[in-house]
Amino acid sequence: DMNTQHTIKTIAIVILSVIIFASCEKETIIDSNSLPKTAQEFITTHFAGQSIVSVVSDKELLESSFEVSLSEGYNLNFNRKGECTKIDGNEKRVPDSAVSQKITEYVEKNYSPSFITNWEKETVGQSVELSNDIELRFNDKGEFTRIDN
């Protein structure tokens, strides 16, 4: 029957396009000197004394990014311009200097002795995860907007 054939064709096209799209994503390990200068400066400024363990260049269809692992267990993500988009402290404290001062002051005032273990630039605003597992949202200016559960 025609409907069944049409459904099978549609499914085949969807599967094929997923496979094609997935193959466009390329992860390659690159030399840390190939990181954008901005990213290199960010690391030496906020993570002084830590060495870069690995840099993975993640090329997707429209956006390329870099995933950087540091010697003390921090994982950082940078966009192609070298701007930091994510800091994962893996339960360790994210350096205050790496996050907007408004955010660190808000966390200190309202959640001390908890500290930021994860910071991420979202499509709109930014989010932090605290050592007590609370997730907070802030706007682009660093002003608190809500608790994310």
Side-chain angles (χ1 to χ4, degrees), residues 45-113:
T45 304
H46 304 293
F47 296 90
Q50 293 191 46
S51 55
I52 295 174
V53 176
S54 71
V55 179
V56 174
S57 168
D58 196 355
K59 284 199 186 349
E60 287 172 35
L61 214 54
L62 300 166
E63 184 63 48
S64 56
S65 61
F66 303 94
E67 293 164 27
V68 179
S69 299
L70 299 179
S71 53
E72 287 176 28
Y74 289 94
N75 292 319
L76 313 177
N77 289 34
F78 295 93
N79 62 20
R80 63 189 161 80
K81 293 187 213 126
E83 299 161 336
C84 189
T85 54
K86 184 178 183 180
I87 304 169
D88 185 352
N90 286 312
E91 307 305 318
K92 284 206 285 290
R93 184 183 187 122
V94 168
D96 288 353
S97 64
V99 180
S100 152
Q101 191 179 343
K102 270 191 181 160
I103 294 176
T104 52
E105 283 171 0
Y106 182 88
V107 170
E108 242 161 63
K109 188 172 156 235
N110 298 286
Y111 292 96
S112 192

Side-chain angles (χ1 to χ4, degrees), residues 102-103 124-126 137-145:
K102 270 191 181 160
I103 294 176
V124 174
Q126 42 196 326
R137 297 272 180 167
F138 296 86
N139 64 19
D140 287 328
K141 294 190 194 104
E143 296 157 343
F144 175 74
T145 52

